[in-house]
Amino acid sequence: MKSKRIAIALAMIVALTMGAFAAPLRIAVIMPSATTDMAFSQSMWSALVTIQKEMGGESALQLKYTDNMWNVPDAAAAIRDYASQGFDIVIAHGSQYGSSVQDIAPDFPKTTFAWGTDVNTFGLPNVYAYTAAAEQGGFVNGVLAARLTKSKKIGVTGPIEVGDAKTYIDGFVQGVQSVNKAIAVSKTWTGSFSDVALMTAAAKTHIANGADILTGSSQSVVGSIGAAKDKGGVLWFGTQADQASLASALVVASQVYDWTGMLREIVAQHKAGVLGGKTYVLTLANGGLKMAFNPAYKLAPAAKKAADDAIAGISKGSIAVQP
Amino acid sequence: MKGMLSLNVLTGILNSMIALATPFLYAAIGETFAQSAGVVNLGVDGIMLLAGFAAFFVALTTGNLWLGLLAAIGVGILMGLVMSLVSVTLKAEQGVSGIGLYMFGLGMSSLLFKVLIGTVKTIEGFKPVSIPFLSQIPYLGPILFHNSVLVYGAFLLVPLSWVILEKTSLGLKIKAVGQNPAAADSLGISVVGIRYFAVCLGSALAGVAGASLSISLLNLFQDNLTSGQGFIAVALVYFGGWSPLGVLAGSLLFSAVNSIQLWMQVLGVNLPASVAVMLPYILTILALMLSSNRARQPAALNKPFDRSEN
Amino acid sequence: MPASGSDLVKGDKPASTFDWAKVLLNGALPLAGVVIALAIAGIFLALLKTDPMTAYAAMVNGALGSTFGLTMTLVKATPLLLVGLGICIAFRANVINIGAEGQIIMGALAGAVVPISMPNAPGWFLITAACVAGFASGALWGFIPGILKAKMRVNEILSTIMMNAIALQFMNFLLQGPLMDPENIKRGTFLAQSARIPQQAWLPRLVPQTLLHAGLILAILLAIVVYIFLWRTTIGYEIRAVGLSPDASRYSGISVPFNVALSLTLAGGFAGLAGVVEVIGVQHRLMDGLTSGYGFTGIVAALLGGLHPLGLIPASIFFGGLLVGADKMQRAVQIPSALVTAILGMIVLLVSGAGIWARRWSAKRLAGGRRTAGGGRSAGSGRSAGSGPTAGGERATEAH
C-alpha cells in the first residue's frame, strides 16, 4: 500500500540521515616506537589509516595516536586518558603494556581495549589480545631462501632474541632446514633495536663470510638491506613490513603484518556491542600475514611453487611451525 | 675459534672496523677540541642526529652530496653556537646543557624525518674512491685505500688535528684556555672567543660524523640513527687522554672489538650474543686500566670562566 | 657546583635554608627559562598548524588539572628524586655521575630477582630485601667506576658510559634467558619481560586507581636522610670538602680518592633504589626500557634542585609535572612525541642557562655581605682565596 511504502521510505531516510550524522568512531593507539619505523609500529599505524579511508575518512573514524611510548607508566597514563576521553577503542600496541591494560580495562567497561603482541585477555570482557604468528612467514621465507642460495650460506641479522624477532627467525631456520639441512644459517644479534650502524656491520660480516642471502628483523634492519645493496647480488627476505622499496632488485619477499582484517572485525563487533574477549592471531590462513613477493625480483616458477606450497601447508595445518 | 684467524676473517674485521670507527673519529676529535678548551659537550649525539638528517634530506632533495655535507656542517655549527651561548656565555652546568642539546637534536631529527620524509628511504651516498697505486697493495690495499671521501677524511683528521693542537698557536691558545683561562685572559687571549670557536668546531665535526652515517656509510636515515654513538664518542675523548692519537687508538679498539664480536657470532663461537655485544665496552675499560697513559684533564674543564672573579 | 667556604665549617647550617630570597630566585629563574623555551617552541607548533595556547593549556591541565595528572606527576617525580639524590651526593664531591642508567638497571634486576625467587616470603620482608639488594647492586655499579678512578685514575665519565652499556646487555641476557617469564615461553610469545613479581612484594598504592605508590614516601624520607648525611655527619662533610677543595682536603688528611669512590658508590646505590622502586611500585615486573632515561633526566632534576637534597623535592615534582604535562599536550593536540622531546630539550637548555642570573645576583649580594674564611672560593668578593695551585677561572659559587 502506498502508506506502507511511504513509511518504509521515511524509515530509510531517517536511518540514512541518522547514519550520516552518527558520531564518528574514535580509536586511539599507543605505540612504543615511531610510526616511521618500517617495522612494528608502522604496520599498525598504516593499517589504521587504511581502515579510516575505507570507512570514509575523518568523519567516520577519528584516529589519535601516541608514539614512542617505551615508558610503561607514561603509556598507562595515555591509555587511561584516552579511555576517559570516551574513545571507543584503545589499542595498546606493545607487549609491555599488558599490565596497564589489565589494570585499566575494568574501570572503563564501555571501552574496547586491544593489546598485543600477546595472547592474554585476562578474562576481561572488553579486552582483545592479538599477536602475529611470525614464525609462519619466517618458514616460507626460509623455504625460498634455501632454494635460492647458491653459496649455501645464509645470514640472519637480529636485534635481541625476544618476541617476534625470535619467533620469525626460528621459523625461518625451520623453513631452511625443511629444504636442505646442510645449509649453514648463522645468526648475529646486535643487542639493540635501533643501532643501524652495527646491524650494517653484522650484515657485511655475514656477506664477507660468504652468505648470499640475508634476513632479519627490527627497525635497524634497513642497515642490513643497505649492506646487501652495497655488495650487490645478495638477496633479502623481510618481515613486519614490505621492504621492497628499499632495494627493489634484491628483496625477494617480505612477510607483511596486515592488521586490517582484525581491525575491521573489532570495529564491527564494537558497533554490535561486543567489546572484547577474543584473541586474534595473524596467520597465513586468515590473511593477517601476507607474503608480499616483490614483482621487481624475478622469482623462478619452481621456487614460487615451493613457497605457495609452504603457505598452503601451513594454512591447512599440514606443516607445523614451532614459534 | 680457529676460523677466526683466516685471512678472510681478518680482512673482514679490518673492513668493518674502518667503517665503524669513522663516525667516532669525527665526533670524538671534535669533542677533543671542545674539551681542550674547557667545555664538555654531551650533546654530540643530538648534533650527529640532526646534522645527519640535514645531510640526508638535502642530498635526497637536491641530489648533491656535497651540499648535504655542507648542510650537516651548517647544522653542526648552529648547534655549536647554541651550546656555546648556553655553556660559555650563560655559564650553564655543562653536563645538563649537553643533555638538553641531545634531547633537542634527537626530537628535532625524528620530527623533521617524520614530517618531511615520512618513511625510510635510501640514497646513493658517497661512493668508495680508490687511491691509485696504494689500492693495489695486496690484501691491505683494497681495504685501506678503497673508501669514500668521508672515511679518508676521518683518518686524515687525526694527524691534522694533532698538528693543530700541538704545533699551531691556535692549538696553544685552545689548550691554554682549557688549562688556565685566567692566565690566558691576562695574556690577551679571548677566552670566550676561543671557547666558542672550539665548541663550534667540535659541533661541526660532530655534524660531519652524522653525515658520514647518513650519506656515506649507511645511506639512509632512520629514527634514532646513531643509537647513542655520540656518547661513546665523548667517552673515547677521555680514553684518548685529550689527544687525537689517543682518540684514534680508542676508536679503533672499540670498533675492532665490535667487528670481532660480530665475526664470533657469525662463525658460531659458543658465546651468548649479549656477552659478545658487551665485549667492546669491557675491553675499553680494561685497556684504559692497563695503559700507563694518564693524561691530566684540562684543568678548567667543565668550569665556566668569569673574568670578574679574577 | 658546590657551595662557598662557609660550608666547610663543620656543623654549620647551610645558608640556603634561611636565604629565602635566594630560594625564591632559584625557583623563579628555571620557571622563566621554561616560559622562554615554550615561547620558542610555540613557533614550531605554529609551523605544524597547532595553536600553541591550546597546546600549553593542555600541558598545564595534564599535570595539574586532575587527580590522575597530579598522581602521575608524583609517580614520575619518585625516580627523579631518588636518582637526583645520588647525583647530588656525587656532585658534592665534584664527580658527575653519568652512570645512573646502568645503576638503575642493576637495582631493578635485584628488585625483580629477590621477590621472584622467594614467592612465598612475607611482603614486608620482600620489599625490604628488594630495596636493600637493589641499593647494593646499584652501589656496586657505582663502586666499580669509583674504585677504578681512585686506584687507577680511570676517568669516571668513560667508565660509567661503558658500564651503562654493559648493564643493558646484562639485563638483555637475563631477560632472554633465565629471567624470561615462563608464561611467555609457554605461550610462544618470548617477550623481553620477567615474570610478574608476587603481589605481596608490590609497594602499596597511595591513591586507588592511580599508579602513585609508597615509593614516593620513601624517596622524600631519603631526601631528608641525605640532607642530614651531607651536613651533619663527618663523612658527609668530607665528601663536600673534597668537592670544594681537593687540595685543602688533602692537607687536612681527607682522602680524595676514597671520597670520590664513596660518592660514586652512594650515587649508584640511590639510582639502584630508583630501579627497585620502579619495579616493585609501578611495573611489577622487569622489562626492557624501564629506565626511561631517568639516568639523564635525574641529572637535570638535580640541577634544578640546586644540588641540594631538600631542593630536589620540589624540583623533581616540577620536572615530573613537566614530563606529564608534555605527554598530555601530545595527546591533546596530536603532535608527534618527537616534538615533545625537542621541546623538553629546549627547556633543559634554557633552564640550565638561567642559573647565571641567580649567581650574578647572589654574587653582588655577597660582595657587600659577609666574607668567607680562607680555604674556600668566595663569590665575587675580589681575588679568590688562595687554595693551592688550582687553575684560575673557577666559577662564582652560590652561597648555599
Side-chain angles (χ1 to χ4, degrees):
Chain A
M1 280 184 299
K2 211 171 169 195
S3 54
K4 197 165 178 199
R5 279 215 244 138
I6 294 173
I8 294 174
L10 272 172
M12 278 181 67
I13 293 170
V14 169
L16 276 169
T17 33
M18 296 257 326
F21 287 123
L25 190 71
R26 299 168 77 206
I27 300 184
V29 60
I30 293 113
M31 300 170 281
S33 52
T35 56
T36 52
D37 66 358
M38 200 162 251
F40 188 64
S41 294
Q42 185 161 348
S43 65
M44 177 57 83
W45 180 245
S46 49
L48 282 165
V49 169
T50 306
I51 297 284
Q52 187 184 43
K53 272 202 211 96
E54 256 178 37
M55 286 175 64
E58 275 278 330
S59 53
L61 174 60
Q62 195 188 80
L63 274 181
K64 280 205 178 176
Y65 76 96
T66 294
D67 60 345
N68 276 317
M69 282 280 113
W70 24 260
N71 175 318
V72 172
D74 288 345
I79 295 170
R80 187 175 282 278
D81 191 27
Y82 282 128
S84 53
Q85 283 180 39
F87 274 78
D88 302 292
I89 302 174
V90 177
I91 303 178
H93 188 60
S95 52
Q96 61 266 58
Y97 304 148
S99 329
S100 310
V101 171
Q102 190 178 14
D103 280 340
I104 298 170
D107 295 341
F108 299 94
K110 294 221 188 65
T111 310
T112 292
F113 293 87
W115 80 287
T117 50
D118 202 327
V119 296
N120 192 352
T121 64
F122 312 113
L124 294 169
N126 59 341
V127 173
Y128 288 109
Y130 57 82
T131 185
E135 66 278 5
Q136 293 189 355
F139 189 92
V140 176
N141 275 350
V143 163
L144 269 176
R147 295 179 137 264
L148 294 177
T149 173
K150 298 194 186 71
S151 68
K152 302 291 180 244
K153 278 189 179 163
I154 300 180
V156 174
T157 53
I160 307 180
E161 197 169 2
V162 291
D164 61 347
K166 175 180 166 66
T167 55
Y168 168 75
I169 288 171
D170 286 347
F172 182 85
V173 171
Q174 290 170 59
V176 170
Q177 295 190 323
S178 74
V179 173
N180 182 349
K181 285 205 176 6
I183 296 178
V185 181
S186 73
K187 302 186 225 174
T188 56
W189 304 96
T190 56
S192 155
F193 284 94
S194 58
D195 195 340
V196 180
L198 197 58
M199 193 59 101
T200 309
K204 288 207 181 126
T205 309
H206 284 293
I207 295 172
N209 190 38
D212 60 353
I213 295 195
L214 292 177
T215 190
S217 173
S218 86
Q219 70 180 64
S220 57
V221 104
V222 292
S224 308
I225 302 177
K229 208 171 152 188
D230 242 3
K231 171 78 179 181
V234 175
L235 300 177
W236 173 262
F237 288 88
T239 181
Q240 290 180 330
D242 187 352
Q243 292 162 342
S245 61
L246 292 177
S248 52
L250 297 171
V251 177
V252 179
S254 308
Q255 167 180 230
V256 177
Y257 289 179
D258 186 357
W259 305 103
T260 54
M262 174 189 92
L263 288 171
R264 273 187 217 108
E265 204 183 302
I266 292 180
V267 165
Q269 297 271 70
H270 183 90
K271 286 191 170 154
V274 175
L275 300 177
K278 188 174 158 186
T279 302
Y280 289 96
V281 181
L282 295 190
T283 61
L284 290 171
N286 64 21
L289 293 177
K290 292 197 167 63
M291 298 307 299
F293 296 101
N294 181 8
Y297 177 80
K298 302 277 177 287
L299 191 54
K304 179 76 168 43
K305 177 163 189 314
D308 289 335
D309 288 343
I311 297 175
I314 296 173
S315 308
K316 274 204 305 260
S318 53
I319 304 180
V321 189
Q322 300 306 323
Chain B
M1 279 304 267
K2 244 169 78 177
M4 293 289 300
L5 292 177
S6 82
L7 197 61
N8 186 35
V9 174
L10 291 172
T11 54
I13 291 174
L14 208 53
N15 252 324
S16 289
M17 180 184 88
I18 291 175
L20 287 171
T22 299
F24 288 134
L25 282 171
Y26 280 116
I29 290 181
E31 180 72 4
T32 302
F33 276 105
Q35 291 204 10
S36 297
V39 181
V40 179
N41 183 359
L42 287 183
V44 172
D45 203 51
I47 302 175
M48 285 170 73
L49 279 168
L50 191 55
F53 173 77
F56 181 77
F57 182 66
V58 169
L60 183 69
T61 46
T62 65
N64 188 329
L65 293 169
W66 293 99
L67 266 170
L69 183 63
L70 219 57
I73 295 176
V75 168
I77 294 178
L78 271 170
M79 289 180 85
L81 283 170
V82 171
M83 183 65 183
S84 310
L85 180 69
V86 174
S87 308
V88 178
T89 305
L90 294 180
K91 300 190 185 42
E93 181 58 52
Q94 288 164 14
V96 178
S97 56
I99 290 174
L101 196 68
Y102 163 65
M103 289 166 72
F104 177 75
L106 174 64
M108 222 45 208
S109 60
S110 297
L111 177 71
L112 290 173
F113 174 57
K114 185 185 173 95
V115 169
L116 293 176
I117 303 185
T119 186
V120 178
K121 292 201 178 129
T122 56
I123 58 167
E124 292 286 327
F126 281 105
K127 290 218 166 326
V129 172
S130 275
I131 299 185
F133 300 125
L134 288 174
S135 62
Q136 256 97 39
I137 302 173
Y139 302 118
L140 284 182
I143 302 173
L144 297 180
F145 302 110
H146 180 74
N147 284 297
S148 86
V149 278
L150 288 183
V151 173
Y152 293 136
F155 286 89
L156 286 172
L157 189 61
V158 176
L160 186 65
S161 52
W162 183 86
V163 163
I164 294 177
L165 275 173
E166 300 294 322
K167 299 290 183 203
T168 66
S169 64
L170 173 66
L172 210 59
K173 286 183 188 155
I174 291 176
K175 290 199 290 181
V177 159
Q179 284 289 97
N180 194 336
D185 184 47
S186 61
L187 288 171
I189 300 174
S190 163
V191 173
V192 167
I194 293 281
R195 283 187 170 172
Y196 261 77
F197 174 76
V199 169
C200 289
L201 176 61
S203 308
L205 285 171
V208 178
S212 74
L213 286 172
S214 66
I215 60 175
S216 179
L217 295 165
L218 306 176
N219 294 326
L220 55 86
F221 190 83
Q222 170 62 294
D223 215 56
N224 194 15
L225 185 71
T226 55
S227 201
Q229 285 169 353
F231 289 98
I232 308 288
V234 173
L236 289 174
V237 175
Y238 296 93
F239 180 93
W242 296 274
S243 149
L245 295 174
V247 164
L248 176 69
S251 307
L252 289 179
L253 172 70
F254 189 84
S255 306
V257 180
N258 238 340
S259 311
I260 292 173
Q261 65 95 352
L262 286 173
W263 270 101
M264 285 166 70
Q265 291 193 50
V266 168
L267 293 176
V269 169
N270 202 0
L271 192 65
S274 307
V275 177
V277 173
M278 272 189 223
L279 288 176
Y281 303 96
I282 297 178
L283 266 96
T284 305
I285 297 181
L286 279 175
L288 196 56
M289 279 167 67
L290 298 173
S291 97
S292 52
N293 172 29
R294 284 289 180 270
R296 299 218 68 193
Q297 70 177 45
L301 188 62
N302 205 9
K303 296 188 174 84
F305 173 65
D306 194 334
R307 202 185 251 157
S308 63
E309 297 156 36
N310 297 279
Chain C
M1 273 317 206
S4 68
S6 62
D7 253 20
L8 273 180
V9 178
K10 189 180 162 183
D12 185 26
K13 289 191 171 62
S16 64
T17 46
F18 300 100
D19 195 351
W20 287 109
K22 182 81 176 40
V23 169
L24 277 169
L25 198 63
N26 268 337
L29 282 168
L31 225 53
V34 172
V35 169
I36 298 175
L38 290 178
I40 301 176
I43 305 174
F44 289 107
L45 286 170
L47 283 171
L48 280 175
K49 303 199 179 55
T50 303
D51 173 32
M53 292 327 290
T54 320
Y56 295 146
M59 199 166 167
V60 173
N61 182 42
L64 303 173
S66 64
T67 319
F68 191 73
L70 280 167
T71 56
M72 272 312 291
T73 299
L74 293 171
V75 166
K76 293 207 81 83
T78 306
L80 286 172
L81 180 54
L82 285 168
V83 172
L85 285 172
I87 305 278
C88 200
I89 298 177
F91 251 126
R92 292 278 160 183
N94 218 358
V95 177
I96 180 166
N97 179 26
I98 308 198
E101 286 278 306
Q103 293 145 9
I104 295 174
I105 290 176
M106 295 310 284
L109 274 171
V113 167
V114 165
I116 290 177
S117 57
M118 293 189 277
N120 297 314
W124 62 266
F125 172 75
L126 286 180
I127 293 179
T128 317
C131 287
V132 170
F135 190 92
S137 338
L140 173 70
W141 221 243
F143 174 72
I144 297 174
I147 197 88
L148 286 178
K149 165 128 191 162
K151 291 284 183 217
M152 307 188 74
R153 282 168 56 208
V154 173
N155 182 279
E156 74 278 13
I157 295 196
L158 172 99
S159 47
T160 49
I161 290 181
M162 298 289 139
M163 299 284 282
N164 284 345
I166 296 173
L168 183 65
Q169 293 307 322
F170 183 53
M171 180 178 75
N172 278 340
F173 173 73
L174 290 176
L175 283 180
Q176 290 169 48
L179 276 186
M180 187 181 273
D181 192 349
E183 292 292 307
N184 280 331
I185 301 177
K186 221 174 19 169
R187 287 200 289 259
T189 49
F190 298 105
L191 304 173
Q193 291 174 5
S194 73
R196 226 177 194 193
I197 61 172
Q199 266 197 297
Q200 68 270 30
W202 297 9
L203 283 177
R205 291 269 155 94
L206 297 176
V207 177
Q209 287 189 357
T210 67
L211 293 170
L212 184 57
H213 56 88
L216 175 72
I217 302 177
L218 176 66
I220 294 180
L221 288 173
L222 283 174
I224 301 173
V225 167
V226 171
Y227 166 69
I228 296 174
F229 170 76
L230 281 176
W231 274 278
R232 294 271 182 280
T233 66
T234 318
I235 312 179
Y237 162 74
E238 290 183 0
I239 288 181
R240 287 184 296 119
V242 160
L244 282 168
S245 176
D247 298 298
S249 309
R250 250 173 256 133
Y251 294 145
S252 338
I254 300 173
S255 162
V256 175
F258 171 77
N259 280 293
V260 164
L262 178 65
S263 68
L264 267 174
T265 307
L266 290 173
F270 278 96
L273 203 53
V276 180
V277 159
E278 281 296 287
V279 170
I280 63 177
V282 181
Q283 310 201 13
H284 301 149
R285 53 166 34 113
L286 182 69
M287 59 176 99
D288 204 14
L290 79 114
T291 63
S292 313
Y294 287 131
F296 295 111
T297 46
I299 300 178
V300 179
L303 199 85
L304 280 177
L307 295 168
H308 190 290
L310 296 179
L312 206 48
I313 299 176
S316 43
I317 295 176
F318 170 73
F319 201 66
L322 205 57
L323 294 171
V324 170
D327 277 350
K328 174 71 184 179
M329 175 174 73
Q330 185 280 320
R331 289 194 291 273
V333 295
Q334 288 289 288
I335 50 176
S337 56
L339 179 57
V340 170
T341 308
I343 293 177
L344 287 170
M346 280 191 266
I347 291 177
V348 171
L349 270 169
L350 273 140
V351 165
S352 67
I356 181 183
W357 307 110
R359 284 191 292 273
R360 283 241 173 97
W361 191 84
S362 67
K364 287 205 189 88
R365 283 181 80 230
L366 273 178
R370 36 185 222 288
R371 287 290 190 84
T372 55
R377 287 173 271 164
S378 50
S381 53
R383 297 214 143 254
S384 39
S387 47
T390 50
E394 286 133 26
R395 184 170 24 154
T397 56
E398 296 124 271
H400 272 258

